[in-house]
Amino acid sequence: MRAIFLATIAAIVAQPVIFILRFLLPMLALGADISAKDFFVFSLFSALFASPFAVGVGIPSLLLLRHFNRVSWQMLGLIGFIAAALPLAIYSWPEYPGSSSGGNWYGTPVHFVVDGQKTLYGWLSYAQNVLFFGVHGLAGGLAFFFVWRRWSEPNTSFNRDGLTPTH
């Protein structure tokens, strides 16, 4: 039980790290002024957003995979990726009847939607957002797996008899 609890915490804590690496550090590198309070709020928000996924998807997935003897870093990473990317992919599926929108694509003004139809940049933006959320899930799934494995396996620093340290 301790291993599952620690794995869940690791999956949640991984989210602010990914968020900081993806958004806040590039902003700082470009000279943005980000307060410690903003750092904390963004980190807290990403951890709170990830918590239901770690508890509601991570734990049941681990238990189910364990039941079928299929626990692996690949499986938990894939489940994390899908669990994070799929809701965004469905929720933000591009349907914009009669509307148009544009924005900035890495420094270039572009149209994302023209007369209700996604443009190439619209599709690229959609795919990038889905992929980004999937990476959050992948990181959480991998953190979950490696911490769970570390704390659930027996100590391997002992000899085969399990009693004497290997020196």
Side-chain angles (χ1 to χ4, degrees):
M1 191 65 180
R2 178 178 74 172
I4 292 175
F5 174 75
L6 292 173
T8 304
I9 297 300
I12 293 168
V13 168
Q15 302 316 306
V17 172
I18 297 295
F19 188 81
I20 288 167
L21 291 173
R22 171 68 171 95
F23 284 112
L24 298 182
L25 286 182
M27 289 172 65
L28 287 173
L30 293 173
D33 184 25
I34 301 172
S35 70
K37 179 185 173 192
D38 288 341
F39 240 78
F40 174 76
V41 169
F42 287 127
S43 298
L44 180 63
F45 177 73
S46 62
L48 289 174
F49 188 80
S51 296
F53 288 94
V55 172
V57 176
I59 294 172
S61 295
L62 174 71
L63 297 175
L64 191 61
L65 290 170
R66 238 178 40 185
H67 177 74
F68 290 106
N69 199 27
R70 296 279 187 226
V71 179
S72 68
W73 67 268
Q74 296 97 332
M75 287 299 293
L76 282 172
L78 179 64
I79 289 169
F81 184 91
I82 291 170
L86 190 60
L88 181 70
I90 293 169
Y91 176 73
S92 64
W93 182 252
E95 289 189 25
Y96 307 97
S99 65
S100 296
S101 72
N104 184 343
W105 183 259
Y106 296 98
T108 304
V110 298
H111 294 284
F112 292 123
V113 178
V114 176
D115 294 328
Q117 298 297 314
K118 276 255 189 225
T119 65
L120 173 63
Y121 290 109
W123 284 109
L124 289 173
S125 177
Y126 172 78
Q128 179 182 8
N129 290 330
V130 170
L131 181 65
F132 175 66
F133 269 77
V135 168
H136 268 278
L138 174 68
L142 294 177
F144 189 99
F145 171 78
F146 288 113
V147 170
W148 170 78
R149 188 180 72 178
R150 165 66 177 94
W151 287 96
S152 66
E153 290 184 350
N155 188 347
T156 58
S157 65
F158 290 90
N159 278 344
R160 289 188 181 150
D161 64 9
L163 301 174
T164 57
T166 56
H167 292 284

